[in-house]
């Protein structure tokens, strides 16, 4: 346990140690990471459309395995960009960096997003007083990610609109998050709300999506900008043989700029006792009676085996 706790020390504590015992002090090495970006794999890509790979990785967890230690050392979770001190001089067996995202838009909750591959580094030497500069790390969607239940980029080359009550704007590069197209929902000032939904065009027990294992993660990703609050909903049955009900997943706040959201559907899915069939819908909320517009792009619903 002592080894694991002494690998990573805050800078003030390191300075105090140096002052107390200059002879025994070993200057820390540093690891720096600027950002993450997600790219398409060379083979078996979901799609070559760049919009599928928009991302917003805001933090990362750093783990290292040091020679002679029985267990990995968790150095911590850090907001990007970061430079962290590590009290070690030499070559670790490996370093793993796990990309983390804002869980349903909550910046204080930053879990490892298991749909992205973690970065494993071997042969990287940490030198006392020097910084291992990793720059921008490139990752892929993890190979364990199921083929998307839905992928709607709203692009002219992907003419498979899977959203009910959504206007498809085909060509507007200035207005789109990526590419040329996007989805648009207008809410009239006289309306209290406007509903729109994901529709895969096939049904499972009257619902749109089927997940074969309650141990899987289920996430909705999308890019969105909106004049109004947008409520995300899940519809399913709490138990077999009873009526369907709808649970609120979260409310997305208005934003003038495009933002990439990772919406965890697990809490709502758990309410439904991990019923295997469900639907996802949205409500643009117009409580103030002023109306407005909602714009969405790069919508996808994914499942994968749970990890960290």
């Amino acid at each position: 346990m002592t080894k694991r706790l002494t690998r990573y020390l805050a800078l003030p504590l390191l300075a105090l140690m140096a002052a107390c015992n200059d002879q025994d002090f070993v200057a820390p090495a540093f690891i720096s990471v600027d950002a993450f970006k997600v790219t398409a794999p060379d083979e078996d890509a979901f799609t070559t459309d760049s919009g599928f790979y928009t991302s917003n990785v805001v933090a990362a967890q750093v783990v290292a395995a040091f020679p002679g230690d029985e267990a990995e050392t968790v150095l911590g979770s850090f907001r990007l960009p970061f430079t962290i001190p590590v009290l070690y001089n030499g070559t670790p067996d490996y370093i793993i960096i796990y990309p983390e995202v804002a869980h349903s838009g909550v910046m204080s909750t930053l879990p490892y997003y298991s749909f992205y591959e973690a970065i494993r580094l071997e042969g990287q030497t940490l030198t006392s007083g020097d910084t291992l500069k990793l720059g921008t790390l490139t990752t892929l969607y993890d190979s364990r990610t199921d083929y998307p239940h839905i992928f709607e980029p709203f692009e002219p080359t992907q003419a498979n609109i899977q959203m009910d009550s959504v206007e498809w704007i085909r060509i507007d590069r200035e207005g789109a998050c990526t590419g040329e197209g996007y989805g648009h929902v207008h809410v009239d000032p006289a309306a209290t709300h406007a509903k729109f939904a994901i529709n895969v065009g096939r049904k499972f027990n009257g619902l749109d999506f089927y997940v074969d294992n309650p141990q899987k993660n289920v996430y909705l990703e999308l890019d969105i900008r909106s004049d109004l609050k947008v409520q995300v909903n899940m519809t399913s049955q709490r138990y077999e043989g009873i009526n369907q009900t709808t649970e609120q997943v979260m409310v997305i706040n208005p934003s003038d700029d495009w933002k990439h959201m990772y919406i965890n559907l697990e809490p709502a899915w758990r309410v439904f006792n991990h019923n295997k069939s469900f639907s996802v819908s949205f409500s643009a909320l117009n409580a103030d009676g002023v109306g407005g517009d909602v714009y969405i792009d790069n919508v996808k619903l994914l499942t994968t085996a749970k990890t960290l």
Side-chain angles (χ1 to χ4, degrees):
M1 180 64 75
T2 302
K3 284 185 179 179
R4 297 187 68 192
L5 292 175
T6 56
R7 295 299 188 191
Y8 169 62
L9 297 171
L11 285 175
L13 181 56
L14 292 170
L16 179 61
M17 290 174 61
C20 293
N21 193 342
D22 292 335
Q23 222 170 14
D24 297 334
F25 178 72
V26 176
F30 297 86
I31 299 173
S32 74
V33 177
D34 295 332
F36 267 87
K37 69 177 181 179
V38 181
T39 61
D42 294 332
E43 299 179 353
D44 300 323
F46 292 120
T47 175
T48 57
D49 182 81
S50 62
F52 188 88
Y53 305 100
T54 57
S55 61
N56 186 24
V57 178
V58 295
Q61 182 182 106
V62 185
V63 172
F66 297 101
D69 283 5
E70 295 180 358
E72 294 178 339
T73 298
V74 178
L75 301 180
S77 179
F78 309 96
R79 291 288 301 272
L80 292 164
F82 62 75
T83 299
I84 60 170
V86 185
L87 193 58
Y88 185 78
N89 184 65
T91 304
D93 294 333
Y94 57 81
I95 300 169
I96 302 179
I97 303 176
Y98 296 94
E100 298 178 327
V101 304
H103 171 104
S104 297
V106 181
M107 296 301 291
S108 60
T109 307
L110 301 172
Y112 164 49
Y113 192 58
S114 61
F115 295 93
Y116 294 156
E117 288 186 354
I119 306 299
R120 182 184 175 103
L121 305 171
E122 297 182 2
Q124 298 284 347
T125 299
L126 299 175
T127 303
S128 293
D130 289 345
T131 301
L132 175 61
K133 296 181 179 180
L134 299 176
T136 298
L137 297 173
T138 299
T139 188
L140 309 170
Y141 274 89
D142 192 282
S143 59
R144 294 166 296 178
T145 299
D146 292 344
Y147 194 83
H149 291 267
I150 177 176
F151 167 45
E152 183 49 77
F154 293 100
E155 292 305 307
T157 57
Q158 307 253 349
N160 187 26
I161 292 301
Q162 301 178 91
M163 304 287 294
D164 287 336
S165 304
V166 174
E167 177 189 12
W168 180 17
I169 307 299
R170 291 172 178 266
I171 306 293
D172 181 7
R173 292 189 178 184
E174 292 293 321
C177 177
T178 60
E180 299 180 353
Y182 55 90
H184 169 241
V185 176
H186 176 70
V187 184
D188 188 88
T192 59
H193 65 281
K195 291 184 178 180
F196 54 104
I198 297 174
N199 176 11
V200 298
R202 61 186 187 274
K203 301 288 182 180
F204 304 94
N205 298 324
L207 299 166
D208 287 308
F209 301 110
Y210 176 82
V211 177
D212 62 1
N213 187 338
Q215 297 304 312
K216 289 187 175 181
N217 283 322
V218 184
Y219 268 80
L220 173 69
E221 279 192 59
L222 76 162
D223 292 294
I224 186 169
R225 63 184 176 94
S226 176
D227 301 326
L228 306 168
K229 291 184 177 182
V230 176
Q231 182 174 300
V232 183
N233 308 301
M234 177 184 282
T235 299
S236 187
Q237 297 169 295
R238 292 180 184 270
Y239 302 98
E240 295 290 343
I242 67 172
N243 292 335
Q244 298 172 10
T245 57
T246 298
E247 287 287 332
Q248 175 183 313
V249 176
M250 69 168 296
V251 174
I252 302 172
N253 288 322
S255 174
D256 293 332
D257 300 318
W258 286 101
K259 56 184 178 182
H260 191 79
M261 299 290 300
Y262 302 88
I263 300 173
N264 184 11
L265 299 179
E266 164 63 22
W269 198 31
R270 191 186 313 124
V271 168
F272 290 118
N273 198 30
H274 293 116
N275 189 35
K276 295 180 181 179
S277 299
F278 60 88
S279 292
V280 177
S281 62
F282 306 84
S283 296
L285 307 177
N286 187 31
D288 295 332
V290 296
D293 296 276
V294 179
Y295 306 91
I296 57 174
D297 205 351
N298 307 314
V299 180
K300 44 192 171 285
L301 190 146
L302 305 168
T303 62
T304 193
K306 292 183 180 179
T307 51
L308 287 184

